[in-house]
PDB file of all heavy atoms in Angstrom:
ATOM      1  N   GLN A 191     129.280 -51.697-143.570  1.00 97.00           N
ATOM      2  CA  GLN A 191     128.377 -50.716-142.907  1.00 97.00           C
ATOM      3  C   GLN A 191     128.201 -49.601-143.870  1.00 97.00           C
ATOM      4  O   GLN A 191     129.021 -49.238-144.796  1.00 97.00           O
ATOM      5  CB  GLN A 191     128.933 -50.186-141.658  1.00 97.00           C
ATOM      6  CG  GLN A 191     129.333 -51.279-140.598  1.00 97.00           C
ATOM      7  CD  GLN A 191     129.962 -50.642-139.406  1.00 97.00           C
ATOM      8  OE1 GLN A 191     129.326 -50.126-138.475  1.00 97.00           O
ATOM      9  NE2 GLN A 191     131.288 -50.532-139.380  1.00 97.00           N
ATOM     10  N   GLU A 192     127.233 -48.626-143.543  1.00 97.00           N
ATOM     11  CA  GLU A 192     127.089 -47.397-144.353  1.00 97.00           C
ATOM     12  C   GLU A 192     128.380 -46.498-144.068  1.00 97.00           C
ATOM     13  O   GLU A 192     128.982 -46.671-142.979  1.00 97.00           O
ATOM     14  CB  GLU A 192     125.801 -46.654-143.910  1.00 97.00           C
ATOM     15  CG  GLU A 192     125.704 -46.281-142.503  1.00 97.00           C
ATOM     16  CD  GLU A 192     124.467 -45.417-142.254  1.00 97.00           C
ATOM     17  OE1 GLU A 192     123.546 -45.497-143.017  1.00 97.00           O
ATOM     18  OE2 GLU A 192     124.682 -44.650-141.271  1.00 97.00           O
ATOM     19  N   ILE A 193     128.630 -45.676-145.037  1.00 96.00           N
ATOM     20  CA  ILE A 193     129.994 -44.967-144.994  1.00 96.00           C
ATOM     21  C   ILE A 193     130.130 -44.138-143.659  1.00 96.00           C
ATOM     22  O   ILE A 193     131.239 -44.272-143.009  1.00 96.00           O
ATOM     23  CB  ILE A 193     130.070 -43.894-146.231  1.00 96.00           C
ATOM     24  CG1 ILE A 193     130.157 -44.743-147.490  1.00 96.00           C
ATOM     25  CG2 ILE A 193     131.211 -42.986-145.947  1.00 96.00           C
ATOM     26  CD1 ILE A 193     130.579 -43.956-148.722  1.00 96.00           C
ATOM     27  N   ALA A 194     129.054 -43.592-143.162  1.00 97.00           N
ATOM     28  CA  ALA A 194     129.162 -42.764-141.908  1.00 97.00           C
ATOM     29  C   ALA A 194     129.637 -43.693-140.769  1.00 97.00           C
ATOM     30  O   ALA A 194     130.491 -43.308-139.907  1.00 97.00           O
ATOM     31  CB  ALA A 194     127.887 -42.173-141.448  1.00 97.00           C
ATOM     32  N   SER A 195     129.191 -44.879-140.605  1.00 98.00           N
ATOM     33  CA  SER A 195     129.536 -45.768-139.601  1.00 98.00           C
ATOM     34  C   SER A 195     131.029 -46.312-139.802  1.00 98.00           C
ATOM     35  O   SER A 195     131.804 -46.423-138.850  1.00 98.00           O
ATOM     36  CB  SER A 195     128.573 -46.973-139.478  1.00 98.00           C
ATOM     37  OG  SER A 195     127.336 -46.532-139.377  1.00 98.00           O
ATOM     38  N   VAL A 196     131.318 -46.542-141.058  1.00 98.00           N
ATOM     39  CA  VAL A 196     132.714 -46.966-141.305  1.00 98.00           C
ATOM     40  C   VAL A 196     133.660 -46.007-140.881  1.00 98.00           C
ATOM     41  O   VAL A 196     134.704 -46.140-140.137  1.00 98.00           O
ATOM     42  CB  VAL A 196     132.907 -47.317-142.858  1.00 98.00           C
ATOM     43  CG1 VAL A 196     134.364 -47.640-143.201  1.00 98.00           C
ATOM     44  CG2 VAL A 196     132.075 -48.401-143.281  1.00 98.00           C
ATOM     45  N   HIS A 197     133.387 -44.680-141.227  1.00 97.00           N
ATOM     46  CA  HIS A 197     134.211 -43.542-140.903  1.00 97.00           C
ATOM     47  C   HIS A 197     134.316 -43.323-139.389  1.00 97.00           C
ATOM     48  O   HIS A 197     135.375 -42.947-138.873  1.00 97.00           O
ATOM     49  CB  HIS A 197     133.831 -42.322-141.623  1.00 97.00           C
ATOM     50  CG  HIS A 197     134.215 -42.426-143.056  1.00 97.00           C
ATOM     51  ND1 HIS A 197     134.163 -41.337-144.048  1.00 97.00           N
ATOM     52  CD2 HIS A 197     134.575 -43.450-143.911  1.00 97.00           C
ATOM     53  CE1 HIS A 197     134.576 -41.758-145.249  1.00 97.00           C
ATOM     54  NE2 HIS A 197     134.795 -43.161-145.196  1.00 97.00           N
ATOM     55  N   LYS A 198     133.200 -43.630-138.679  1.00 98.00           N
ATOM     56  CA  LYS A 198     133.226 -43.439-137.247  1.00 98.00           C
ATOM     57  C   LYS A 198     134.215 -44.434-136.721  1.00 98.00           C
ATOM     58  O   LYS A 198     135.021 -44.125-135.686  1.00 98.00           O
ATOM     59  CB  LYS A 198     131.749 -43.698-136.689  1.00 98.00           C
ATOM     60  CG  LYS A 198     131.540 -43.080-135.408  1.00 98.00           C
ATOM     61  CD  LYS A 198     130.021 -43.121-135.097  1.00 98.00           C
ATOM     62  CE  LYS A 198     129.799 -43.243-133.613  1.00 98.00           C
ATOM     63  NZ  LYS A 198     128.463 -43.903-133.243  1.00 98.00           N
ATOM     64  N   ASP A 199     134.209 -45.662-137.052  1.00 98.00           N
ATOM     65  CA  ASP A 199     135.003 -46.661-136.628  1.00 98.00           C
ATOM     66  C   ASP A 199     136.501 -46.412-136.831  1.00 98.00           C
ATOM     67  O   ASP A 199     137.322 -46.661-136.127  1.00 98.00           O
ATOM     68  CB  ASP A 199     134.621 -48.084-137.215  1.00 98.00           C
ATOM     69  CG  ASP A 199     133.317 -48.638-136.581  1.00 98.00           C
ATOM     70  OD1 ASP A 199     132.803 -47.963-135.648  1.00 98.00           O
ATOM     71  OD2 ASP A 199     132.879 -49.713-137.075  1.00 98.00           O
ATOM     72  N   ILE A 200     136.745 -45.858-138.139  1.00 98.00           N
ATOM     73  CA  ILE A 200     138.016 -45.509-138.468  1.00 98.00           C
ATOM     74  C   ILE A 200     138.588 -44.458-137.561  1.00 98.00           C
ATOM     75  O   ILE A 200     139.736 -44.508-137.098  1.00 98.00           O
ATOM     76  CB  ILE A 200     138.186 -45.131-140.034  1.00 98.00           C
ATOM     77  CG1 ILE A 200     137.908 -46.182-140.871  1.00 98.00           C
ATOM     78  CG2 ILE A 200     139.512 -44.450-140.282  1.00 98.00           C
ATOM     79  CD1 ILE A 200     137.776 -45.870-142.372  1.00 98.00           C
ATOM     80  N   ARG A 201     137.854 -43.447-137.398  1.00 97.00           N
ATOM     81  CA  ARG A 201     138.247 -42.249-136.499  1.00 97.00           C
ATOM     82  C   ARG A 201     138.593 -42.826-135.136  1.00 97.00           C
ATOM     83  O   ARG A 201     139.618 -42.509-134.511  1.00 97.00           O
ATOM     84  CB  ARG A 201     137.221 -41.233-136.310  1.00 97.00           C
ATOM     85  CG  ARG A 201     137.644 -40.018-135.573  1.00 97.00           C
ATOM     86  CD  ARG A 201     136.552 -39.002-135.618  1.00 97.00           C
ATOM     87  NE  ARG A 201     136.488 -38.235-136.820  1.00 97.00           N
ATOM     88  CZ  ARG A 201     137.289 -37.222-137.148  1.00 97.00           C
ATOM     89  NH1 ARG A 201     138.247 -36.804-136.309  1.00 97.00           N
ATOM     90  NH2 ARG A 201     137.135 -36.513-138.277  1.00 97.00           N
ATOM     91  N   ARG A 202     137.721 -43.690-134.548  1.00 97.00           N
ATOM     92  CA  ARG A 202     137.975 -44.272-133.222  1.00 97.00           C
ATOM     93  C   ARG A 202     139.317 -45.088-133.204  1.00 97.00           C
ATOM     94  O   ARG A 202     140.000 -44.958-132.272  1.00 97.00           O
ATOM     95  CB  ARG A 202     136.737 -45.073-132.796  1.00 97.00           C
ATOM     96  CG  ARG A 202     136.805 -45.558-131.311  1.00 97.00           C
ATOM     97  CD  ARG A 202     135.706 -46.370-130.887  1.00 97.00           C
ATOM     98  NE  ARG A 202     134.321 -45.955-131.214  1.00 97.00           N
ATOM     99  CZ  ARG A 202     133.443 -46.702-131.874  1.00 97.00           C
ATOM    100  NH1 ARG A 202     133.730 -47.897-132.376  1.00 97.00           N
ATOM    101  NH2 ARG A 202     132.211 -46.106-132.115  1.00 97.00           N
ATOM    102  N   ALA A 203     139.420 -45.904-134.253  1.00 97.00           N
ATOM    103  CA  ALA A 203     140.631 -46.696-134.192  1.00 97.00           C
ATOM    104  C   ALA A 203     141.983 -45.835-134.214  1.00 97.00           C
ATOM    105  O   ALA A 203     142.922 -46.129-133.596  1.00 97.00           O
ATOM    106  CB  ALA A 203     140.654 -47.793-135.388  1.00 97.00           C
ATOM    107  N   LEU A 204     141.870 -44.795-135.047  1.00 97.00           N
ATOM    108  CA  LEU A 204     143.007 -44.024-135.252  1.00 97.00           C
ATOM    109  C   LEU A 204     143.404 -43.282-133.890  1.00 97.00           C
ATOM    110  O   LEU A 204     144.565 -43.152-133.461  1.00 97.00           O
ATOM    111  CB  LEU A 204     142.854 -42.942-136.267  1.00 97.00           C
ATOM    112  CG  LEU A 204     142.895 -43.457-137.713  1.00 97.00           C
ATOM    113  CD1 LEU A 204     142.423 -42.376-138.737  1.00 97.00           C
ATOM    114  CD2 LEU A 204     144.252 -44.002-138.125  1.00 97.00           C
TER     115      LEU A 204
END
Side-chain angles (χ1 to χ4, degrees):
Q191 310 173 82
E192 59 172 27
I193 290 185
S195 304
V196 176
H197 286 195
K198 201 169 149 202
D199 288 356
I200 289 174
R201 182 179 284 279
R202 190 184 306 126
L204 289 170

